């Protein structure tokens, strides 16, 4: 995977995925349903600079808030958000990046509505919240949280609360605010009772996704992507403001 194009002015580019084929490796012959013969192997000719199965998706980087939006497709081959997350985690872990910028967190933004729904379950028995140190460019509650972790030379906070006996949890403002912080830099997992059984759920499986379905022949990919990223970045800002308001009430 690679960032194959990027415009410094528009902050928009293309992220691409492709396959790397080992021509010298063993090959399977479908017609003979077994290993390919030496004669067939000698017919293989792929230029060393070419990579097959190219998939390219639009991507946008919001420099101020360190946010990335990527457009995927419901039909055909596409690059998943998890693959983009893995790509950027590899990039920020490169020695030259760590040397110049220190440790940088990369995470998928979770759907904050889903996190709030998890914390409002009436039969909660356990809540576990993991929050990593936010990027230093953030303001408000996130910046205060970062400063608190930095003061103790810590990189993340793990908060677990459990109910007693047959009681159920009632998460308060601090837990709710931490849960919203975890939407951007962590994870929320819960255990609760459902018809006598103990059920688990977590925010890792609930990334924020904006789906657009259109039959407008005049709609352009760039135009649709513009609306999508405005929604996604707006949701991030709204989540930060909501977490801030909870602790200020």
């Amino acid at each position: 995977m690679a960032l194959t194009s990027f415009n410094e002015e528009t902050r928009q580019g293309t992220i691409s995925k492709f396959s790397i084929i080992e021509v010298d490796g063993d090959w399977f012959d479908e017609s003979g349903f077994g290993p390919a013969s030496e004669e067939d192997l000698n017919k293989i000719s792929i230029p060393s600079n070419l990579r097959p199965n190219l998939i390219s998706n639009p991507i946008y980087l919001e420099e101020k808030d360190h946010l990335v939006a990527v457009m995927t497709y419901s039909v055909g081959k596409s690059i998943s958000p998890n693959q983009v997350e893995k790509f950027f985690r590899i990039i920020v872990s490169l020695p030259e990046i760590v040397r110049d910028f220190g440790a940088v967190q990369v995470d998928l933004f979770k759907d904050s509505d889903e996190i709030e729904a998890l914390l409002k379950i009436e039969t909660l028995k356990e809540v576990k919240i993991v929050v990593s140190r936010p990027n230093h460019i953030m303001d408000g509650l996130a910046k205060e949280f970062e400063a608190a972790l930095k003061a103790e030379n810590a990189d993340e906070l793990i908060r677990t609360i459990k109910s007693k006996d047959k009681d159920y949890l009632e998460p308060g403002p601090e837990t709710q605010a931490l849960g919203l912080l975890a939407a951007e830099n962590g994870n929320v997992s819960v255990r609760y009772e459902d018809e006598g059984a103990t059920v688990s759920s977590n925010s890792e499986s609930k990334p924020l996704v904006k789906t657009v379905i259109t039959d407008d022949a005049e709609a352009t990919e760039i135009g649709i992507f513009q609306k999508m990223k405005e929604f996604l970045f707006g949701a991030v800002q709204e989540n930060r403001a909501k977490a801030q308001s909870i602790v200020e009430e």
Side-chain angles (χ1 to χ4, degrees), residues 132-146:
S132 299
R133 188 191 297 183
N135 293 328
H136 71 281
I137 48 86
M138 296 175 68
D139 296 320
L141 178 63
K143 191 171 186 64
E144 294 172 11
F145 179 74
E146 179 208 14

Side-chain angles (χ1 to χ4, degrees), residues 55 57 72-79:
I55 302 172
N57 290 44
T72 62
Y73 307 98
S74 59
V75 178
K77 296 180 179 179
S78 188
I79 300 174

Side-chain angles (χ1 to χ4, degrees), residues 155-203:
D155 195 50
E156 70 175 18
L157 170 71
I158 301 176
R159 177 185 174 89
T160 302
I161 55 175
K162 299 180 180 180
S163 67
K164 182 179 179 181
D165 301 326
K166 296 183 179 181
D167 294 336
Y168 297 124
L169 294 172
E170 297 179 4
E174 183 178 348
T175 299
Q176 294 172 25
L178 279 176
L180 293 178
L181 282 182
E184 193 165 352
N185 295 284
N187 178 47
V188 177
S189 57
V190 302
R191 292 173 62 250
Y192 61 96
E193 290 183 357
D194 184 18
E195 296 182 354
T198 300
V199 182
S200 299
S201 186
N202 67 79
S203 62

